[in-house]
Amino acid sequence: MEPRAKKQENLSRLERAAQQTADPKTMEQKAKKPEEKFRFSLRKEDVWWTVGFAAAALLLFGIQVLINWRLEWLDAPLRVRVLNYVRGGLLIFVMLTVANVIEVFLIGRIPNRVSRFNLQRIFRLVVVVAIVFVAISVLFVNWYTAVVSLGLISLILGFALQMPISSFIAWIYILARAPYRVGDRIRIGDAHGDVIDVSYLDTTLWEFGGEHLWTDHPSGRVIKFPNSTVFDTPVFNYSWPLFPYVWNEIKFQLAYESDLEFVAKTMREVVDEQVGDIMSQKVKVYKHILSQTPVDELEVKEHPVVHFRVSENTWLEAIVRYLVPPKEAGRTKTRLIKEMLARMNAKPDRVLFPKSNLR
């Protein structure tokens, strides 16, 4: 039996791989490969941008020193105005230099690619807001007038742009809490689809299923909804990074005279052959996640289980449950049904299906 420590390590590797990708196959490949340490690499363009910002800041500092040294070159009012602009530009380029250093050498060292990308977007937004603040302070020398003007403008815009502002705050929430991310398959309200973009104000889905399809095939339509929807509408994420699988079932109606042991054995064998190994591994992850919650006493089987129940139309129902990636649910179910029917129809004396008007 595999040692407990080794099992725990395998589960931890699966979880770390899941944080980097939502695709189940890619996640498996990452988890099986020897884990590589994140290596920070400095790009030439990052160096050039940093040097460029620093050089611009030094140039503006030199201009400021020169103006203060040669006061006679400019008359007093013009000198004050120019110095104000130079100081503002100097502060902006110093901020850009420091921001670039932080983004490259601090944020750039974060191993998780998704976290690194989201943090970069937020950090750049903060830098832009700070630069706009400095620019306004340069243009409006009279701070009292500027603050009053900005206060009135903010009040007016706050009423007029409630939905966009709420959606922008929701964008920050989506980045921070990650109810979904690009590539995930979700359902929110009446919208079903794969997330293809999360912008500052709205989210775009590539719809699957829909009113004209009953399968999980893409419908060809695009759905857009404001990010603020996540605040008051439940989000069903079928591609949760730690467990990007869903439980699925196949159901057959049978006569009471059928050989139930043979039916159960056949259905289990087909599912085991097709998805058994993957299911066994993923149920271990599922159990590990459940163990961290108050529902850790829930019993979850690592292999397919067949259940029987009496149908409303007096036939028996044979139901097999298994795990499958959400984007492959339709193809997997079709493949399993074909194989199950082929094997059970080969034994018509042991498996009795509803026929003609007896259905």
Side-chain angles (χ1 to χ4, degrees):
M1 185 176 179
E2 192 177 21
R4 184 178 180 84
K6 190 174 181 181
K7 286 184 177 181
Q8 185 64 35
E9 174 60 24
N10 290 337
L11 290 174
S12 299
R13 291 178 65 178
L14 275 171
E15 291 178 3
R16 288 193 294 269
Q19 292 291 347
Q20 301 176 19
T21 176
D23 179 61
K25 293 182 180 178
T26 307
M27 185 183 77
E28 279 186 53
Q29 293 171 0
K30 285 181 175 290
K32 290 179 180 178
K33 289 181 180 178
E35 212 163 355
E36 298 180 0
K37 292 185 177 180
F38 172 74
R39 295 181 179 179
F40 170 74
S41 59
L42 186 62
R43 300 180 303 173
K44 289 183 178 180
E45 52 265 35
D46 293 330
V47 176
W48 283 114
W49 276 111
T50 304
V51 171
F53 292 145
L58 286 173
L59 177 61
L60 289 173
F61 179 74
I63 293 174
Q64 178 181 334
V65 172
L66 183 62
I67 293 175
N68 288 326
W69 180 41
R70 295 292 186 179
L71 297 177
E72 68 276 7
W73 284 3
L74 299 172
D75 57 2
L78 180 60
R79 183 171 65 249
V80 172
R81 191 181 304 116
V82 171
L83 279 174
N84 191 41
Y85 292 152
V86 170
R87 287 168 185 161
L90 173 61
L91 182 56
I92 288 174
F93 279 108
V94 168
M95 290 170 56
L96 288 173
T97 304
V98 174
N100 204 58
V101 170
I102 292 174
E103 184 174 328
V104 172
F105 293 98
L106 294 181
I107 300 178
R109 293 181 182 273
I110 297 176
N112 190 299
R113 184 174 56 185
V114 176
S115 299
R116 186 170 66 248
F117 175 74
N118 290 339
L119 190 57
Q120 282 176 344
R121 295 184 73 176
I122 295 174
F123 181 69
R124 289 174 183 175
L125 179 64
V126 171
V127 172
V128 169
V129 171
I131 289 174
V132 171
F133 182 78
V134 172
I136 291 175
S137 68
V138 171
L139 294 176
F140 295 93
V141 180
N142 189 336
W143 267 99
Y144 178 78
T145 304
V147 169
V148 172
S149 301
L150 287 175
L152 291 174
I153 293 173
S154 300
L155 185 62
I156 295 171
L157 291 179
F159 284 108
L161 303 175
Q162 288 185 22
M163 182 62 74
I165 292 174
S166 177
S167 290
F168 179 77
I169 295 173
W171 170 75
I172 298 175
Y173 168 80
I174 292 169
L175 292 184
R177 298 293 297 166
Y180 56 81
R181 59 183 184 176
V182 173
D184 286 355
R185 173 160 289 192
I186 68 169
R187 174 166 67 88
I188 179 167
D190 295 329
H192 303 70
D194 299 320
V195 181
I196 59 176
D197 184 41
V198 182
S199 66
Y200 292 115
L201 299 180
D202 57 35
T203 295
T204 305
L205 301 182
W206 184 250
E207 186 190 42
F208 69 87
E211 58 185 315
H212 303 297
L213 296 172
W214 65 269
T215 62
D216 291 340
H217 192 278
S219 68
R221 299 186 299 188
V222 169
I223 302 174
K224 281 185 177 288
F225 60 87
N227 292 333
S228 57
T229 306
V230 300
F231 288 144
D232 54 21
T233 305
V235 178
F236 298 85
N237 193 328
Y238 302 99
S239 305
W240 184 40
L242 290 183
F243 195 73
Y245 294 85
V246 294
W247 294 97
N248 214 334
E249 291 181 342
I250 292 178
K251 181 194 308 181
F252 287 111
Q253 290 186 338
L254 308 168
Y256 285 93
E257 296 81 8
S258 300
D259 186 341
L260 302 186
E261 289 297 327
F262 173 76
V263 171
K265 179 183 176 183
T266 302
M267 296 177 77
R268 278 197 304 267
E269 286 178 350
V270 172
V271 175
D272 252 329
E273 292 170 5
Q274 300 287 341
V275 298
D277 292 339
I278 296 176
M279 179 174 172
S280 177
Q281 296 173 13
K282 300 307 170 278
V283 169
K284 291 178 182 177
V285 179
Y286 190 69
K287 286 183 176 180
H288 176 64
I289 295 171
L290 285 178
S291 68
Q292 311 301 318
T293 70
V295 295
D296 58 341
E297 72 277 2
L298 183 65
E299 183 181 4
V300 182
K301 301 293 185 181
E302 295 183 8
H303 299 281
V305 177
V306 177
H307 298 278
F308 294 95
R309 71 181 181 187
V310 178
S311 174
E312 295 178 356
N313 58 7
T314 73
W315 295 96
L316 280 179
E317 289 183 346
I319 306 168
V320 62
R321 185 181 300 116
Y322 57 94
L323 275 176
V324 64
K327 297 181 182 180
E328 299 178 12
R331 293 192 298 272
T332 301
K333 178 174 284 190
T334 299
R335 188 171 68 249
L336 292 176
I337 289 175
K338 285 182 178 179
E339 184 62 27
M340 289 178 189
L341 285 177
R343 297 190 188 186
M344 289 191 287
N345 281 326
K347 303 287 184 178
D349 56 326
R350 306 182 71 175
V351 184
L352 305 176
F353 289 111
K355 292 183 179 179
S356 64
N357 59 347
L358 298 179
R359 182 178 297 276

